[in-house]
Amino acid sequence: MGELPHVVIVGAGFGGIMAARGLKNAPVRVTVIDRTNHHLFQPLLYQVATAGLSPANIAAPIRDVLHKQRNAEVFLAEAAGVDTAGKLVHLREGASIPYDYLIIATGSRYNYFGHNGWEEDAPSLKSLSDGVSMRQEILLAFEAAEMEPDPARRKALLTFVLVGGGPTGVELAGSIAELAHRALKEDFRHFDPRSARIILIEAGPRILAAFPKELSNAAQKALERLGVEVRTDAMVQEVDDRGVSASGVRIDSRNVIWTAGVVATPVGKWLDVETDNIGRIPVNADLSVPGHPNILVLGDAARLEQDGKLLPGVCPVAMQQGRYAAALIRARAGEKGKEPGPFRYHDKGNVATVGRGFAIVDLGRLKLSGFVAWVAWIFIHIWYLIGFRNRISVMFQWAWAYITWQRAARLITGPIPGPRLFAKTVDSLADDRTSITTKTRKLP
């Protein structure tokens, strides 16, 4: 094994995992490096954040995914740089890993457009820990409202503002609305959870701009039926721990969530190459970095145009690129067969869901919205989940939630009181020298 070409894969997202699995039984040895020990099915992360699914339903240990692949090893570590001359990947932990071929699939993070200080008061949703933390903050907002005697502060606790009208923002907004208006409606005694406000802010003229106009309009109407306030052409000017200002309008909220735009991880600095305005590396048609034919960049970290259009940063692109990278390296490592030609993405359509029973699907000539599109969305996501156990578990939980409106993963597991919401409410109670009213509301 030591004499075989060494393929190092940095990142175990969709692109990295597909590349690693595609190299099974290839005449190479594979090292996968990731700073977490799991592969995450990110399109369903919002379900964890809103207590619809547990973290284990949408993640699988990397070692478990690759445990039957005898030519692969996994390192739980964080890449910090690349020595292209010495062919080394430097780890933050201090070690260096030599490579013959290097695949970089490190994904992206949310872009605060020069206002990185907003991240503390407007967290984003990219990792499994983000999902668990956001679930905690959302549930604590309702718990804090139960103890808050001041109507204005209670209103701020029950106002959820999502900045960014892409798929994540739309799906989160719809799911929070269902959580507040249906799943929690009988759980509290001192306020009605249905009084919660969910506001979706989009800087552009419409939400879900990647979809045809008729589908994005249908999605907006579906959100509004759920009780979500959609505000388009609204540019965020300020975010703080008391709320957000957008296009001159102030919204008091203790729950601001950032879902607007992404920026690539700093791979351009690692390789000392030019990047575009959001940090992506322009790659050749075979996904290699110009001047470095043995370094391939996949997914959100790569910039590649096809037929005059930039490939989108979605998981199907990364998955197809991962399989292509594996086929390319197999051929270059001496395996029999022809080296594949330039990478070409086969677009199988675009989907987004807007709460229970409604989704939109764009398959080119075929465009769907409503319940049929939602069923298609379910099966598409189940199909792409890694692991048979995960597929069965998610399907069962979705079926149960559909029948009962229950959210089985409504667990607060962190320290209580929470850092952003609950503690502030307790402080306000002490400051006002008031007590919680003992009057309870009549349940619906």
Side-chain angles (χ1 to χ4, degrees):
M1 287 289 290
E3 297 176 356
L4 295 174
H6 188 197
V7 181
V8 175
I9 301 173
V10 181
F14 289 106
I17 282 292
M18 289 299 139
R21 296 174 82 177
L23 290 169
K24 184 178 181 179
N25 299 324
V28 297
R29 55 192 181 99
V30 179
T31 298
V32 177
I33 301 170
D34 199 284
R35 60 184 179 181
T36 69
N37 79 327
H38 53 268
H39 167 75
L40 172 65
F41 190 78
Q42 203 171 71
L44 290 179
L45 188 54
Y46 82 94
Q47 290 268 354
V48 171
T50 54
L53 294 172
S54 71
N57 293 139
I58 66 165
I62 302 169
R63 295 186 185 279
D64 186 54
V65 174
L66 301 176
H67 78 280
K68 292 184 179 180
Q69 190 165 326
R70 308 306 297 175
N71 66 340
E73 61 183 359
V74 178
F75 289 163
L76 179 62
E78 183 175 358
V82 177
D83 177 1
T84 56
K87 294 185 177 181
L88 295 170
V89 175
H90 299 307
L91 305 182
R92 195 169 300 281
E93 291 76 9
S96 295
I97 309 297
Y99 67 84
D100 296 298
Y101 298 96
L102 174 61
I103 296 175
I104 298 177
T106 49
S108 61
R109 50 191 172 85
Y110 272 99
N111 187 0
Y112 287 83
F113 304 101
H115 300 280
N116 293 335
W118 291 353
E119 185 172 5
E120 181 178 355
D121 298 309
S124 58
L125 189 61
K126 269 293 183 183
S127 67
L128 202 57
S129 59
D130 290 339
V132 173
S133 176
M134 190 171 293
R135 179 184 70 184
Q136 171 127 332
E137 296 295 342
I138 290 172
L139 295 177
L140 278 175
F142 290 96
E143 297 293 341
E146 180 80 338
M147 296 181 62
E148 178 56 72
D150 183 82
R153 284 195 289 260
R154 177 181 283 171
K155 183 178 179 181
L157 284 167
L158 296 175
T159 299
F160 298 85
V161 179
L162 297 101
V163 181
T168 300
V170 168
E171 290 168 347
L172 260 176
S175 195
I176 293 173
E178 289 184 339
L179 177 70
H181 299 161
R182 295 302 298 264
L184 299 180
K185 68 177 183 178
E186 298 180 3
D187 286 9
F188 294 89
R189 302 295 179 262
H190 300 284
F191 76 100
D192 187 345
R194 292 173 296 181
S195 64
R197 293 178 68 198
I198 297 91
I199 303 171
L200 178 63
I201 296 176
E202 167 56 40
R206 60 187 177 92
I207 62 173
L208 298 172
F211 287 82
K213 187 175 181 179
E214 62 267 31
L215 290 182
S216 66
N217 289 342
Q220 179 168 335
K221 291 178 182 178
L223 279 176
E224 291 169 346
R225 287 195 296 270
L226 289 172
V228 177
E229 302 174 35
V230 180
R231 303 187 183 185
T232 55
D233 293 312
M235 184 70 70
V236 171
Q237 299 156 325
E238 184 181 2
V239 177
D240 56 39
D241 64 350
R242 298 289 176 175
V244 60
S245 296
S247 295
V249 178
R250 178 68 182 179
I251 304 172
D252 292 331
S253 170
R254 295 287 182 85
N255 310 280
V256 182
I257 300 171
W258 193 268
T259 61
V262 295
V263 61
T265 50
V267 291
K269 293 181 180 179
W270 294 357
L271 304 177
D272 193 24
V273 297
E274 294 293 327
T275 64
D276 66 6
N277 62 331
I278 61 170
R280 295 172 300 190
I281 296 176
V283 296
N284 297 320
D286 64 353
L287 307 181
S288 66
V289 177
H292 302 282
N294 62 333
I295 300 178
L296 309 180
V297 181
L298 317 179
D300 292 346
R303 178 187 176 92
L304 182 63
E305 291 189 2
Q306 180 175 299
D307 300 331
K309 295 181 180 180
L310 191 65
L311 291 182
V314 294
C315 64
V317 172
M319 294 173 76
Q320 291 183 32
Q321 288 180 338
R323 287 190 285 264
Y324 172 89
L328 187 72
I329 290 175
R330 294 179 81 110
R332 292 181 178 178
E335 189 175 79
K336 292 182 179 180
K338 185 179 179 181
E339 183 174 312
F343 172 76
R344 187 159 189 85
Y345 172 56
H346 300 285
D347 190 353
K348 298 179 181 179
N350 205 3
V351 298
T353 183
V354 188
R356 178 181 184 266
F358 190 97
I360 57 175
V361 175
D362 177 19
L363 301 177
R365 294 183 179 180
L366 179 62
K367 297 174 177 60
L368 301 172
S369 64
F371 182 80
V372 173
W374 182 71
V375 173
W377 174 87
I378 286 180
F379 281 99
I380 288 170
H381 283 69
I382 291 293
W383 176 260
Y384 282 117
L385 273 175
I386 287 186
F388 177 77
R389 178 184 59 81
N390 286 17
R391 293 188 182 108
I392 296 299
S393 177
V394 169
M395 183 64 78
F396 176 80
Q397 290 198 47
W398 272 342
W400 180 253
Y402 186 82
I403 296 170
T404 65
W405 288 95
Q406 295 296 312
R407 298 290 178 105
R410 283 161 38 200
L411 305 176
I412 297 173
T413 57
I416 299 174
R420 296 203 313 137
L421 301 170
F422 202 90
K424 293 178 182 179
T425 299
V426 172
D427 289 343
S428 73
L429 285 170
D431 293 343
D432 291 348
R433 300 183 182 278
T434 57
S435 61
I436 303 171
T437 177
T438 57
K439 184 179 180 180
T440 60
R441 70 184 182 94
K442 185 178 181 180
L443 293 177

Short mmCIF file of all heavy atoms in Angstrom, two decimals, residues 51-53 183 356 374 378 392-410:
data_model
loop_
_atom_site.label_atom_id
_atom_site.label_comp_id
_atom_site.label_asym_id
_atom_site.label_seq_id
_atom_site.Cartn_x
_atom_site.Cartn_y
_atom_site.Cartn_z
N ALA A 51 -36.34 20.92 15.15
CA ALA A 51 -36.78 19.77 15.97
C ALA A 51 -37.58 18.75 15.19
O ALA A 51 -38.29 17.94 15.78
CB ALA A 51 -37.58 20.26 17.18
N GLY A 52 -37.45 18.73 13.86
CA GLY A 52 -38.15 17.72 13.08
C GLY A 52 -37.40 16.40 13.01
O GLY A 52 -38.03 15.33 12.95
N LEU A 53 -36.09 16.46 13.01
CA LEU A 53 -35.25 15.26 12.96
C LEU A 53 -34.14 15.39 13.98
O LEU A 53 -33.73 16.51 14.34
CB LEU A 53 -34.63 15.08 11.56
CG LEU A 53 -35.59 14.79 10.40
CD1 LEU A 53 -34.85 14.84 9.08
CD2 LEU A 53 -36.28 13.44 10.57
N ALA A 183 -47.26 22.61 16.13
CA ALA A 183 -46.67 21.62 17.04
C ALA A 183 -46.68 22.07 18.50
O ALA A 183 -46.82 21.26 19.41
CB ALA A 183 -45.24 21.30 16.60
N ARG A 356 -45.11 21.71 5.39
CA ARG A 356 -45.76 20.40 5.27
C ARG A 356 -46.69 20.35 4.07
O ARG A 356 -47.63 21.12 3.95
CB ARG A 356 -46.54 20.15 6.56
CG ARG A 356 -47.34 18.88 6.65
CD ARG A 356 -48.04 18.88 8.00
NE ARG A 356 -48.77 17.66 8.26
CZ ARG A 356 -50.06 17.49 7.99
NH1 ARG A 356 -50.73 18.46 7.40
NH2 ARG A 356 -50.66 16.35 8.29
N TRP A 374 -44.12 17.99 -3.29
CA TRP A 374 -43.61 17.69 -1.95
C TRP A 374 -43.27 16.21 -1.81
O TRP A 374 -42.25 15.85 -1.23
CB TRP A 374 -44.64 18.10 -0.92
CG TRP A 374 -44.23 17.89 0.51
CD1 TRP A 374 -43.30 18.59 1.21
CD2 TRP A 374 -44.76 16.91 1.41
NE1 TRP A 374 -43.21 18.12 2.49
CE2 TRP A 374 -44.11 17.09 2.65
CE3 TRP A 374 -45.72 15.92 1.29
CZ2 TRP A 374 -44.39 16.29 3.75
CZ3 TRP A 374 -46.01 15.13 2.40
CH2 TRP A 374 -45.34 15.32 3.62
N ILE A 378 -39.59 14.58 -1.01
CA ILE A 378 -39.28 13.60 0.03
C ILE A 378 -38.45 12.45 -0.53
O ILE A 378 -37.41 12.08 0.02
CB ILE A 378 -40.59 13.06 0.66
CG1 ILE A 378 -41.20 14.11 1.58
CG2 ILE A 378 -40.32 11.77 1.44
CD1 ILE A 378 -42.48 13.67 2.24
N ILE A 392 -34.68 4.72 6.40
CA ILE A 392 -35.86 4.15 7.07
C ILE A 392 -36.29 5.04 8.23
O ILE A 392 -37.48 5.32 8.41
CB ILE A 392 -35.56 2.73 7.57
CG1 ILE A 392 -35.27 1.80 6.38
CG2 ILE A 392 -36.72 2.21 8.39
CD1 ILE A 392 -36.43 1.66 5.41
N SER A 393 -35.34 5.51 9.02
CA SER A 393 -35.64 6.32 10.18
C SER A 393 -36.29 7.64 9.78
O SER A 393 -37.29 8.07 10.37
CB SER A 393 -34.36 6.59 10.98
OG SER A 393 -34.61 7.43 12.08
N VAL A 394 -35.73 8.31 8.77
CA VAL A 394 -36.28 9.59 8.33
C VAL A 394 -37.67 9.40 7.74
O VAL A 394 -38.59 10.19 8.02
CB VAL A 394 -35.33 10.27 7.32
CG1 VAL A 394 -36.00 11.46 6.65
CG2 VAL A 394 -34.05 10.70 8.01
N MET A 395 -37.86 8.38 6.94
CA MET A 395 -39.17 8.13 6.35
C MET A 395 -40.21 7.89 7.43
O MET A 395 -41.34 8.42 7.37
CB MET A 395 -39.10 6.92 5.40
CG MET A 395 -40.42 6.64 4.69
SD MET A 395 -40.92 7.97 3.58
CE MET A 395 -39.84 7.64 2.18
N PHE A 396 -39.88 7.12 8.45
CA PHE A 396 -40.82 6.85 9.55
C PHE A 396 -41.16 8.14 10.30
O PHE A 396 -42.34 8.41 10.59
CB PHE A 396 -40.22 5.82 10.52
CG PHE A 396 -41.08 5.56 11.72
CD1 PHE A 396 -42.18 4.73 11.66
CD2 PHE A 396 -40.79 6.18 12.93
CE1 PHE A 396 -42.97 4.50 12.77
CE2 PHE A 396 -41.58 5.97 14.04
CZ PHE A 396 -42.67 5.13 13.97
N GLN A 397 -40.14 8.95 10.61
CA GLN A 397 -40.39 10.17 11.37
C GLN A 397 -41.22 11.17 10.57
O GLN A 397 -42.09 11.85 11.13
CB GLN A 397 -39.06 10.81 11.79
CG GLN A 397 -38.34 10.01 12.86
CD GLN A 397 -37.28 10.82 13.57
OE1 GLN A 397 -37.50 11.94 13.98
NE2 GLN A 397 -36.11 10.23 13.72
N TRP A 398 -40.97 11.27 9.28
CA TRP A 398 -41.77 12.17 8.46
C TRP A 398 -43.22 11.71 8.39
O TRP A 398 -44.14 12.52 8.44
CB TRP A 398 -41.17 12.29 7.06
CG TRP A 398 -40.13 13.36 6.95
CD1 TRP A 398 -39.93 14.39 7.81
CD2 TRP A 398 -39.16 13.50 5.93
NE1 TRP A 398 -38.89 15.16 7.39
CE2 TRP A 398 -38.39 14.64 6.23
CE3 TRP A 398 -38.86 12.77 4.78
CZ2 TRP A 398 -37.35 15.08 5.43
CZ3 TRP A 398 -37.81 13.21 3.98
CH2 TRP A 398 -37.07 14.35 4.31
N ALA A 399 -43.43 10.40 8.25
CA ALA A 399 -44.79 9.88 8.21
C ALA A 399 -45.52 10.17 9.52
O ALA A 399 -46.67 10.60 9.53
CB ALA A 399 -44.77 8.38 7.91
N TRP A 400 -44.84 9.95 10.63
CA TRP A 400 -45.44 10.20 11.94
C TRP A 400 -45.74 11.69 12.14
O TRP A 400 -46.81 12.06 12.62
CB TRP A 400 -44.51 9.69 13.05
CG TRP A 400 -45.05 9.91 14.43
CD1 TRP A 400 -44.62 10.82 15.35
CD2 TRP A 400 -46.13 9.22 15.05
NE1 TRP A 400 -45.34 10.74 16.51
CE2 TRP A 400 -46.28 9.75 16.35
CE3 TRP A 400 -46.97 8.18 14.63
CZ2 TRP A 400 -47.25 9.30 17.23
CZ3 TRP A 400 -47.94 7.73 15.52
CH2 TRP A 400 -48.08 8.28 16.80
N ALA A 401 -44.80 12.54 11.74
CA ALA A 401 -44.99 13.98 11.88
C ALA A 401 -46.15 14.46 11.01
O ALA A 401 -46.91 15.35 11.40
CB ALA A 401 -43.71 14.72 11.52
N TYR A 402 -46.29 13.87 9.84
CA TYR A 402 -47.37 14.28 8.93
C TYR A 402 -48.74 13.96 9.53
O TYR A 402 -49.68 14.74 9.44
CB TYR A 402 -47.22 13.60 7.58
CG TYR A 402 -48.22 14.09 6.55
CD1 TYR A 402 -47.97 15.26 5.84
CD2 TYR A 402 -49.40 13.41 6.31
CE1 TYR A 402 -48.89 15.74 4.91
CE2 TYR A 402 -50.33 13.88 5.39
CZ TYR A 402 -50.05 15.04 4.68
OH TYR A 402 -50.96 15.52 3.78
N ILE A 403 -48.83 12.81 10.19
CA ILE A 403 -50.12 12.38 10.76
C ILE A 403 -50.44 13.15 12.04
O ILE A 403 -51.58 13.55 12.26
CB ILE A 403 -50.09 10.86 11.05
CG1 ILE A 403 -49.94 10.09 9.73
CG2 ILE A 403 -51.33 10.42 11.80
CD1 ILE A 403 -49.66 8.62 9.92
N THR A 404 -49.42 13.40 12.87
CA THR A 404 -49.67 13.91 14.22
C THR A 404 -49.25 15.36 14.43
O THR A 404 -49.58 15.94 15.47
CB THR A 404 -48.89 13.07 15.25
OG1 THR A 404 -47.47 13.23 15.02
CG2 THR A 404 -49.25 11.60 15.12
N TRP A 405 -48.51 15.96 13.50
CA TRP A 405 -47.93 17.30 13.65
C TRP A 405 -46.90 17.36 14.78
O TRP A 405 -46.54 18.44 15.25
CB TRP A 405 -49.01 18.36 13.90
CG TRP A 405 -49.85 18.67 12.72
CD1 TRP A 405 -51.06 18.13 12.41
CD2 TRP A 405 -49.56 19.61 11.67
NE1 TRP A 405 -51.55 18.67 11.23
CE2 TRP A 405 -50.64 19.59 10.77
CE3 TRP A 405 -48.49 20.48 11.42
CZ2 TRP A 405 -50.68 20.37 9.63
CZ3 TRP A 405 -48.55 21.27 10.29
CH2 TRP A 405 -49.62 21.22 9.40
N GLN A 406 -46.41 16.23 15.25
CA GLN A 406 -45.45 16.21 16.34
C GLN A 406 -44.03 16.51 15.84
O GLN A 406 -43.68 16.24 14.71
CB GLN A 406 -45.46 14.85 17.04
CG GLN A 406 -46.77 14.53 17.74
CD GLN A 406 -47.05 15.49 18.87
OE1 GLN A 406 -46.19 15.77 19.70
NE2 GLN A 406 -48.26 16.03 18.90
N ARG A 407 -43.23 17.09 16.73
CA ARG A 407 -41.79 17.29 16.50
C ARG A 407 -41.06 16.51 17.57
O ARG A 407 -40.92 16.96 18.70
CB ARG A 407 -41.42 18.77 16.55
CG ARG A 407 -42.09 19.65 15.48
CD ARG A 407 -41.55 19.34 14.09
NE ARG A 407 -42.21 20.12 13.06
CZ ARG A 407 -41.66 21.17 12.46
NH1 ARG A 407 -40.42 21.54 12.77
NH2 ARG A 407 -42.31 21.82 11.52
N ALA A 408 -40.59 15.32 17.19
CA ALA A 408 -40.08 14.38 18.19
C ALA A 408 -38.76 14.80 18.80
O ALA A 408 -38.39 14.32 19.87
CB ALA A 408 -39.94 12.99 17.57
N ALA A 409 -38.01 15.68 18.13
CA ALA A 409 -36.66 16.02 18.60
C ALA A 409 -36.62 17.35 19.33
O ALA A 409 -35.63 18.07 19.28
CB ALA A 409 -35.69 16.04 17.42
N ARG A 410 -37.71 17.69 20.06
CA ARG A 410 -37.77 18.96 20.77
C ARG A 410 -37.01 18.86 22.09
O ARG A 410 -37.59 18.90 23.18
CB ARG A 410 -39.21 19.38 21.00
CG ARG A 410 -39.88 19.93 19.77
CD ARG A 410 -41.37 19.92 19.85
NE ARG A 410 -41.90 20.24 21.17
CZ ARG A 410 -43.12 19.92 21.57
NH1 ARG A 410 -43.91 19.23 20.76
NH2 ARG A 410 -43.54 20.25 22.76
#
